[in-house]
């Protein structure tokens, strides 16, 4: 974080704490907020489906008139109430009214909590890191039940859960022995309303139109959409039967302007095949300067349509029986059109040269900032990606009172998530040749162009090309890559992921008197299956890859690449061209087989927990015994014979493990609203799904005897392999947490927390041995001299449990209602948090300290600030969130996942609203929102960890730069 930003946050927190110190109990302006889930509150407190509602404790400043707090302040009060009353250390958000969480997605709301940070995917907050650890370390629950993920691993994509259908979210930072499947970094529990606890009839309706600023980036995809939601809550049969129904639909367009640099190189003078000098860079003073060796300029337009339904049926005919049925379903369809140009500016491609190069000093290195690339061959891209997610979750909870102090709980649940995708790319270029580009015919239809460029240190470059790439009479379909082409004219891939989770939870709770308040014991069984398949296909133009012009009937309006100065390019919908122009050829290489896998897990969790309630001390102590069985079905991918099809050999592997996980949570109430918390625990997280795959990809070094004497009888080890590891043990850690909290009144508090996680084992790529018996020797083995013994034991590189390390941090958070000081400022308030995290984890076997590896998800600095004003029906809110640079996981080439270094990200959102307080329009509200108010960019740097081209002072060079535009929403909400 820049120094002035850090000082600004420190000043804010100092002011917040100083202001809070002035808020003596006698000056409190508000009464205690209603218990979440009651008619006077928007939220429900259910840590698990069978956890009773926690009772409020009054702290300093919590007595006063019976005043009902509404709107923003009620949401803050409910969130603070949840945080205060949980025995674990938690963070919480709460709706200010049914159907009215403030953000457009639940991920945006969660990202504002202390110690949490979101990663933007296609401009939307999608996955969450807790306390600097990757999303895979987090477990996500819906009403206390584990949820299936449509991602490649365990991380839930939160944008599948509409904020409009949730009443609250609680983030557990310390474990509760009663909750099975707790994450190592934390657990996110998404909660819906409980109709009987809510206690009265209510109906809420929300409708918002939305638009992304500017015109359409691609003419065939809208940049305007809408959001609607409706919720209904009621009680019947004398208050013994309750129902809650909700529906939410978004038709939300999005888009981004995209630039990416492939790399930077310094090019000196070269010689041609005859030894004649070639002056590559002119003037000669720029010979040693860093120049971009390849780039792409794209615009992407997306249509995002999600329909979500929720239904809750609650039945309590007596004090003996209480049953609740929850059902959630969502269908999310996304259609993405990407268009633009990419080209190599590398002198080793097409003899390219640079002229009129101007340079500047960046970090002690000379970097080209403008000039002309002579001899570039742009590739015109028209891509179409589609995705369909379907999520279904259901749970039935039954509570039986066996006597006045004993209750039995039985919970059954099921969660399913299915993701289907199409990833399609096509290539075109200026010119029309006979046949296609191959190593034997590398110049077919390839026309050289001179492209001027200006490249800033941070921002979009601008280009000035010489040819018209929108000319349908000259731009034809076909591969235009240098060095003999890419070997195909496009590609289409169909990834599919399906995960199912079945669970049964049985437990018995008995209340007692004394130091311990109750004892809880039970067992949870969770069965999880996950399968990934990727159908990979090449696209080849018909008639022997003959380059062909696109029929005018398929031509679309050219995309808007004006942000880069690049002119219009040929545009079409590639899906419409597929049958007419292309042959589809399956790819069955080793990469194809390695991307297909299946995992099955059975986890049985036994727990015993004792509640503590003695004097001013509350909390719990407990232990879990977790029995884990994991099995993976994969293949040995024997593709060693050139030109021959791969014949995979199916294998099945796995392991069984048992973990004992004790946990302790203590709260000392010091009076006056002051509290101290302490927690100690052992935690774990199950390995990534793709790391558990049993696939093995062998390799054979037939030149193993080169450079050494291989006499008869010599034993050689030419075998090697890479793959997954079905025997992986979980990530395991010991954790300590402590915090100080001061609850001044329902909407004002200050908290300081520290945590320390000693991660005993971390999973990363390592080398081991593998028995290659049963895999036939390839014909290339004949290159090994006769009599030499070929060992079946070789080296394999695979994910394995290795050395761990520590993650530690400090978290500062608070909320302050200025009405606490004087009624003149009533309605004006601020919330804020600052998280500082560091780690010495180094997931690599390389002993070289200069090759240190960062862990994914860790941002050293994260802060969130929200200011609000609310009075007489008027509401205003502005929020800013920031996270420093981190390593994030993204989709890369060939529909595979990989890591990139994402630079610091700052986003500002604002909203204004007014709700009529009386008259015929009472309950009607009008809302205006602007998301991404400052149009903050998404940026990555070249290289990972310490790698990549750098300036002389070690500075990084920009790789990706994207902007998504501001999003405007205007709508109404109505409740009665």
């Amino acid at each position: 974080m820049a120094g002035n930003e850090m000082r600004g946050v420190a000043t804010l927190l100092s002011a917040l704490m100083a202001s809070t110190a002035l808020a003596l109990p006698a000056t409190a302006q508000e009464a205690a907020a209603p218990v979440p889930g009651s008619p006077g509150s928007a939220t429900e407190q259910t840590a698990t489906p069978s956890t009773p509602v926690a009772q409020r404790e009054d702290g300093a400043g919590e007595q006063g008139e019976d005043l009902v707090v509404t709107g923003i302040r009620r949401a803050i009060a409910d969130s603070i109430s949840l945080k205060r009353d949980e025995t674990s250390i938690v963070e919480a958000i709460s709706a200010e009214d049914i159907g009215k969480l403030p953000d457009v997605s639940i991920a945006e709301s969660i990202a504002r909590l202390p110690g949490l940070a979101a990663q933007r995917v296609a401009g939307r907050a999608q996955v969450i890191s807790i306390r600097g650890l990757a999303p895979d370390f987090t477990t996500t629950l819906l009403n206390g039940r584990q949820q299936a993920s449509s991602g490649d691993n365990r991380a839930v994509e939160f944008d599948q859960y509409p904020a409009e259908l949730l009443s609250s979210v609680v983030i557990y930072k310390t474990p509760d022995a009663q909750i099975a499947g707790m994450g190592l970094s934390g657990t996110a529990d998404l909660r819906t309303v409980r109709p009987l606890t809510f206690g009265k009839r209510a109906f809420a309706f929300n409708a918002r139109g939305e638009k992304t600023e500017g015109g359409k980036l691609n003419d065939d995809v809208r940049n305007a959409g809408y959001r609607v939601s409706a919720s209904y809550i009621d009680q019947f049969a004398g208050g013994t039967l309750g129902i809650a129904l909700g529906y939410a639909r978004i038709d939300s367009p999005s888009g981004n302007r995209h630039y990416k640099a492939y790399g930077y190189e310094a090019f000196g003078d070269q010689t041609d095949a005859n030894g004649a000098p070639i002056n590559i860079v002119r003037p000669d003073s720029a010979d040693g300067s860093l120049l971009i060796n390849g780039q792409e300029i794209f615009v992407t337009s997306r249509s995002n349509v999600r329909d979500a339904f929720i239904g809750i049926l609650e039945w309590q005919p007596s004090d003996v029986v209480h049953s609740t049925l929850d059902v959630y379903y969502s269908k999310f369809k996304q259609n993405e059109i990407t268009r633009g140009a990419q080209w190599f500016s590398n002198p080793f491609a097409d003899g390219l040269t640079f002229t009129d190069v101007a340079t500047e000093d960046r970090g002690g290195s000379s970097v080209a900032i403008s000039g002309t690339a002579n001899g570039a061959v742009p590739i015109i891209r028209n891509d179409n990606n589609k995705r369909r997610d379907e999520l279904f979750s259901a749970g039935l909870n039954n509570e039986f009172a066996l006597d006045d102090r004993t209750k039995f709980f039985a919970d059954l649940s099921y969660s399913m998530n299915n993701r289907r995708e199409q990833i399609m790319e096509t290539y075109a270029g200026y010119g029309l040749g006979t046949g296609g580009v191959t190593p034997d015919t590398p110049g077919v239809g390839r026309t050289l162009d001179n492209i001027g460029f200006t490249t800033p240190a941070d921002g979009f470059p601008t280009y000035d090309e010489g040819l018209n790439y929108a000319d349908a009479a000259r731009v034809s379909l076909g591969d235009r890559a240098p060095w003999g082409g890419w070997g195909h004219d496009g590609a289409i891939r169909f990834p599919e992921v399906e995960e199912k989770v079945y669970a049964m939870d049985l437990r018995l709770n008995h209340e007692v008197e004394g130091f311990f308040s109750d004892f809880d014991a039970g067992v949870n069984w969770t069965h999880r299956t996950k399968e990934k398949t990727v159908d990979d296909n090449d696209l080849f133009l018909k008639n022997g890859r003959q380059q062909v012009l696109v029929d005018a009937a398929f031509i679309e309006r050219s995309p808007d690449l004006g942000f880069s100065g690049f002119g219009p390019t040929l545009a079409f919908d590639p899906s419409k061209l597929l049958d007419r122009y292309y042959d589809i050829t399956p790819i069955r290489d080793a990469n194809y087989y390695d991307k297909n896998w299946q995992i099955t897990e059975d986890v049985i969790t036994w727990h015993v927990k004792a509640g503590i309630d003695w004097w001013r001390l509350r909390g719990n102590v407990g232990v879990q015994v977790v029995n884990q069985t994991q099995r993976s079905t994969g293949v040995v991918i024997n593709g060693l014979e050139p030109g021959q099809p791969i014949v995979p050999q199916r294998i099945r592997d796995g392991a069984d493990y048992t973990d004992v996980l004790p946990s302790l949570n203590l709260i000392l109430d010091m009076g006056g609203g002051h509290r101290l918390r302490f927690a100690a625990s052992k935690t774990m997280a199950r390995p990534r799904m793709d790391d558990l795959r049993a696939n093995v990809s062998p390799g054979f070094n037939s030149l193993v005897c080169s450079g050494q004497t291989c006499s008869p009888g010599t034993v050689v080890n030419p075998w090697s392999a890479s793959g997954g590891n079905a025997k992986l043990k979980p990530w395991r850690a010991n954790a300590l947490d402590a915090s100080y909290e001061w609850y001044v009144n329902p909407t004002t508090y200050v908290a300081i927390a520290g945590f320390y996680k000693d991660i005993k084992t971390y999973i990363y790529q390592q080398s081991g041995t593998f028995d290659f018996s049963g895999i036939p020797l390839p014909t290339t083995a004949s290159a090994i001299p006769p009599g030499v013994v070929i060992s079946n034991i070789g080296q394999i590189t695979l994910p394995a449990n290795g050395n761990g390390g520590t993650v530690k941090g400090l978290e500062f958070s608070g909320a302050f209602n200025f009405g606490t000081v004087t009624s003149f400022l009533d309605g004006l308030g601020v919330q804020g948090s600052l998280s500082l995290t560091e780690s010495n984890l180094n997931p690599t076997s390389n002993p070289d300290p200069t090759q240190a590896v960062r862990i994914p998800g860790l941002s050293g600095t994260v802060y969130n600030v929200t200011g609000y004003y609310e009075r007489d029906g008027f509401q205003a809110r502005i929020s800013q969130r920031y996270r420093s640079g981190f390593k994030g996981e993204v989709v890369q080439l060939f529909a595979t996942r990989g890591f990139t270094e994402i630079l610091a990200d700052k986003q500002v959102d604002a909203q204004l609203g007014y709700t009529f307080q009386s008259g015929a329009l009472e309950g009607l509200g009008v809302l205006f929102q602007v998301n991404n108010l400052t149009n903050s960019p998404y940026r990555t740097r070249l290289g990972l960890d310490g790698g990549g081209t750098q300036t002389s002072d070690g500075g990084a060079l920009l790789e990706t730069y994207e902007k998504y535009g501001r999003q405007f929403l205007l709508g109404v909400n109505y409740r009665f």
Side-chain angles (χ1 to χ4, degrees):
M1 180 194 294
N4 59 342
E5 292 172 336
M6 194 68 183
R7 287 191 295 273
V9 175
T11 301
L12 170 66
L13 289 171
S14 298
L16 178 63
M17 296 180 70
S19 301
T20 304
L22 298 174
L24 299 177
T27 66
Q29 301 296 312
E30 299 172 277
V35 176
S38 69
S41 174
T43 61
E44 158 67 18
Q45 214 164 210
T46 50
T48 66
S50 49
T51 302
V53 175
Q55 298 300 312
R56 284 284 312 268
E57 291 185 7
D58 292 329
E62 296 178 0
Q63 302 294 331
E65 301 175 6
D66 187 16
L67 175 67
V68 176
V69 183
T70 61
I72 296 173
R73 284 174 292 170
R74 188 171 76 185
I76 294 172
D78 287 352
S79 299
I80 293 174
S81 176
L82 286 166
K83 178 181 177 69
R84 179 183 58 243
D85 293 338
E86 287 283 356
T87 52
S88 300
I89 296 176
V90 305
E91 306 295 343
I93 56 172
S94 176
E96 62 186 75
D97 207 338
I98 58 172
K100 283 185 63 178
L101 274 172
D103 295 293
V104 294
S105 79
I106 197 63
E108 304 277 355
S109 297
I110 293 173
R112 303 191 192 286
L113 294 174
L116 278 70
Q119 178 179 330
R120 284 201 284 178
V121 177
R124 305 190 315 275
Q126 187 179 79
V127 292
I128 301 293
S129 294
I130 299 178
R131 288 182 159 177
L133 290 170
D136 291 310
F137 289 90
T138 301
T139 297
T140 300
L141 314 174
L142 178 62
N143 290 324
R145 305 178 179 102
Q146 293 186 47
Q147 293 296 286
S149 166
S150 63
D152 286 5
N153 287 289
R154 300 182 187 275
V156 165
E157 297 179 355
F158 286 97
D159 57 357
Q160 293 190 10
Y161 296 88
E164 298 91 335
L165 299 185
L166 298 174
S167 63
S168 64
V169 180
V170 176
I171 306 295
Y172 287 85
K173 292 180 175 178
T174 62
D176 184 318
Q178 180 181 312
I179 303 176
M182 295 288 291
L184 187 147
S185 62
T187 300
D189 188 9
L190 314 181
R191 301 179 179 180
T192 59
V193 72
R194 287 290 177 255
L196 291 184
T197 307
F198 193 84
K200 65 176 183 178
R201 178 184 299 171
F203 175 79
F205 173 77
N206 295 281
R208 283 175 283 179
E210 66 174 78
K211 184 180 185 299
T212 304
E213 71 172 327
K216 293 187 287 187
L217 299 180
N218 287 287
D219 193 59
D220 46 347
V221 180
R222 293 180 290 108
N223 68 333
Y226 64 92
R227 299 166 182 262
V228 295
S229 66
S231 300
Y232 170 69
I233 303 172
D234 209 345
Q235 302 79 33
F236 307 94
T240 63
L241 184 66
I243 187 171
L245 300 173
Y247 167 71
R249 177 181 176 86
I250 66 167
D251 185 343
S252 176
S254 62
N256 66 283
R257 300 163 175 85
H258 166 90
Y259 157 75
K260 182 177 181 178
Y262 299 155
Y264 286 77
E265 291 186 64
F267 302 108
D269 292 339
Q270 307 288 330
T271 57
D272 63 17
N274 299 318
I278 302 174
N279 193 355
I280 292 178
V281 181
R282 287 174 284 178
D284 291 337
S285 59
D287 277 352
S289 300
L290 294 172
L291 292 111
I292 295 175
N293 60 15
Q295 55 266 292
E296 61 191 32
I297 293 289
F298 296 146
V299 290
T300 298
S301 300
R302 299 178 186 87
S303 169
N304 308 292
V305 179
R306 182 192 62 209
D307 290 283
F309 305 85
I310 196 162
I312 303 159
L313 182 65
E314 189 175 11
W315 183 54
Q316 189 172 12
S318 68
D319 293 338
V320 176
V321 178
H322 187 184
S323 298
T324 307
L325 174 66
D326 298 285
V327 177
Y328 174 73
Y329 174 80
S330 74
K331 182 170 62 177
F332 200 174
K333 293 182 179 180
Q334 301 172 70
N335 185 42
E336 178 181 281
I337 294 290
T338 297
R339 297 187 175 107
Q342 62 183 141
W343 65 97
F344 294 93
S345 46
N346 191 320
F348 301 103
D350 304 306
L352 183 142
T353 62
F354 296 95
T355 56
D356 300 322
V357 175
T359 66
E360 71 175 17
D361 182 277
R362 293 180 186 168
S365 296
S366 177
V367 179
I369 60 172
S370 64
T372 301
N374 306 285
V377 182
I379 301 164
I380 305 305
R381 291 281 294 271
N382 283 265
D383 300 352
N384 182 204
N385 299 338
K386 298 179 180 180
R387 174 170 168 172
R388 184 178 185 273
D389 294 88
E390 189 171 15
L391 169 62
F392 176 76
S393 181
L396 175 63
N397 179 258
N398 295 283
E399 174 185 331
F400 304 97
L402 304 183
D403 58 40
D404 290 344
R405 293 191 174 189
T406 308
K407 291 183 179 180
F408 175 72
F409 303 88
D411 191 88
L412 302 174
S413 64
Y414 169 74
S415 179
M416 182 278 296
N417 210 322
N418 179 266
R419 176 185 107 219
R420 296 182 180 181
E421 290 185 87
Q422 168 192 288
I423 302 175
M424 181 183 185
E425 58 185 49
T426 64
Y427 319 133
Y430 196 95
L432 182 62
T434 302
V437 174
T438 70
D440 296 328
T441 57
V444 172
R446 302 181 70 247
T447 306
L448 304 182
D449 193 5
N450 299 332
I451 302 177
F453 63 89
T454 301
T455 308
D458 188 17
F460 289 119
T462 55
Y463 297 100
D464 182 15
E465 74 282 10
L467 300 174
N468 179 7
Y469 293 96
D471 187 348
R474 295 182 177 272
V475 176
S476 65
L477 300 176
D479 183 8
R480 296 304 201 282
W483 301 295
W486 283 328
H488 54 257
D489 303 304
I492 187 167
R493 309 174 195 277
F494 299 98
E496 182 174 357
V497 174
E498 183 171 77
E499 181 172 352
K500 296 179 180 180
V501 180
Y502 303 83
M504 178 177 66
D505 190 272
L506 305 175
R507 68 183 186 89
L508 191 69
N509 180 272
H510 180 68
E511 296 179 358
V512 296
E513 294 180 357
F515 180 83
F516 293 109
S517 60
D518 68 299
F519 291 95
D520 200 280
V523 60
N524 175 279
W525 168 76
T526 299
H527 175 75
R528 184 186 305 267
T529 62
K530 188 153 193 165
E531 182 176 5
K532 180 180 180 182
T533 60
V534 183
D535 184 11
D536 286 345
N537 304 274
D538 276 332
L539 298 180
F540 294 100
L541 289 168
K542 295 180 181 296
N543 303 317
R545 299 188 63 193
Q546 173 58 51
Q547 295 175 7
V548 60
L549 299 175
V550 178
D551 190 305
F554 295 108
I555 302 298
E556 303 280 355
R557 184 176 178 180
S558 295
D560 179 8
L561 300 172
F563 70 97
S564 68
F566 204 93
T569 59
L570 187 72
F572 51 83
D573 183 344
S575 296
K576 296 178 180 178
L577 272 61
L578 194 60
D579 293 337
R580 177 166 175 176
Y581 292 103
Y582 295 97
D583 292 322
I584 301 176
T585 302
I587 304 171
R588 294 298 180 262
D589 58 6
N591 184 55
Y592 161 78
Y593 287 102
D594 197 35
K595 288 188 292 189
N596 293 267
W597 43 261
Q598 184 180 43
I599 309 293
T600 301
E601 296 178 343
D602 282 285
V603 180
I604 299 176
T605 303
W606 303 86
H607 86 269
V608 176
K609 185 181 80 167
I612 299 172
D613 191 355
W614 176 76
W615 188 56
R616 294 181 175 270
L617 190 68
R618 290 196 305 119
N620 60 69
V621 60
V623 64
Q624 290 184 344
V625 178
V626 186
N627 300 313
Q628 306 149 72
T629 299
Q630 59 197 40
R631 297 290 182 265
S632 174
T633 301
V635 292
V636 176
I637 308 163
N638 185 5
L640 300 175
E641 293 296 343
Q644 297 298 314
I646 294 175
V647 181
Q649 301 175 15
R650 189 160 295 277
I651 57 174
R652 183 173 173 82
D653 200 1
D656 300 271
Y657 299 108
T658 298
D659 281 90
V660 179
L661 307 174
S663 62
L664 171 68
N665 291 280
L666 294 175
I667 307 170
L668 177 62
D669 189 339
M670 299 184 295
H674 300 276
R675 298 187 181 190
L676 290 177
R677 291 181 183 262
F678 174 79
S681 61
K682 284 189 174 182
T683 59
M684 73 165 201
R686 302 276 303 132
R688 288 168 56 102
M689 290 292 195
D690 55 1
D691 283 346
L692 283 172
R693 72 192 191 281
N695 295 340
V696 177
S697 299
F700 190 89
N701 179 17
S702 59
L703 303 178
V704 67
C705 287
S706 299
Q708 65 171 310
T709 301
C710 285
S711 56
T714 301
V715 178
V716 295
N717 300 85
W719 287 104
S720 64
S722 62
N725 184 357
K727 289 183 166 59
L728 278 175
K729 300 176 183 178
W731 285 293
R732 293 168 173 145
N734 296 331
L736 294 174
D737 291 79
S739 72
Y740 160 73
E741 300 164 357
W742 181 18
Y743 296 96
V744 180
N745 62 39
T747 55
T748 299
Y749 86 99
V750 171
I752 302 174
F755 69 91
Y756 179 89
K757 294 184 185 294
D758 181 12
I759 299 179
K760 296 300 184 181
T761 178
Y762 199 88
I763 298 169
Y764 54 91
Q765 294 291 320
Q766 299 175 58
S767 296
T769 58
F770 186 79
D771 187 349
F772 292 85
S773 300
I775 303 178
L777 290 172
T779 55
T780 56
S782 61
I784 298 176
V788 173
V789 178
I790 300 175
S791 172
N792 290 325
I793 303 301
Q795 187 180 76
I796 186 170
T797 301
L798 77 177
N801 296 91
N803 294 330
T806 63
V807 179
K808 57 187 177 181
L810 290 173
E811 297 167 351
F812 307 86
S813 62
F816 183 65
N817 176 7
F818 289 97
T820 303
V821 178
T822 171
S823 59
F824 177 74
L825 297 176
D826 187 39
L828 180 66
V830 63
Q831 292 177 280
S833 69
L834 169 66
S835 303
L836 305 173
T837 309
E838 62 179 41
S839 172
N840 65 2
L841 279 164
N842 184 23
T844 178
S845 300
N846 195 329
D848 185 351
T850 65
Q851 301 299 314
V853 173
R854 301 174 65 195
I855 61 172
L858 177 62
S859 289
T861 302
V862 176
Y863 74 76
N864 298 275
V865 179
T866 298
Y868 68 87
Y869 178 74
E870 176 182 56
R871 195 159 187 169
D872 300 325
F874 176 78
Q875 294 182 348
R877 176 176 7 214
I878 186 166
S879 302
Q880 180 184 92
R881 69 172 187 261
Y882 169 90
R883 73 179 300 185
S884 58
F886 66 102
K887 182 188 290 186
E889 188 176 11
V890 297
V891 177
Q892 298 180 326
L893 291 175
F894 312 123
T896 58
R897 299 191 69 84
F899 294 104
T900 189
E901 294 282 356
I902 301 174
L903 299 178
D905 188 18
K906 183 190 297 181
Q907 186 168 336
V908 178
D909 301 318
Q911 67 181 59
L912 294 172
Y914 179 78
T915 301
F916 291 92
Q917 304 294 294
S918 60
L921 298 179
E922 182 179 358
L924 177 67
V926 181
L927 181 70
F928 176 65
Q929 290 178 266
V930 183
N931 298 321
N932 195 20
L933 183 64
T934 57
N935 195 13
S936 63
Y938 167 89
R939 304 171 302 154
T940 69
R941 69 167 176 85
L942 283 165
L944 287 175
D945 304 310
T949 305
Q950 298 178 339
T951 57
S952 295
D953 65 358
L957 294 167
L958 188 68
E959 178 189 43
T960 302
Y961 191 89
E962 292 183 350
K963 281 198 168 186
Y964 307 107
R966 298 170 182 84
Q967 182 189 44
F968 302 96
L969 297 97
L970 177 64
V972 297
N973 51 73
Y974 183 58
R975 176 187 171 176
F976 63 89

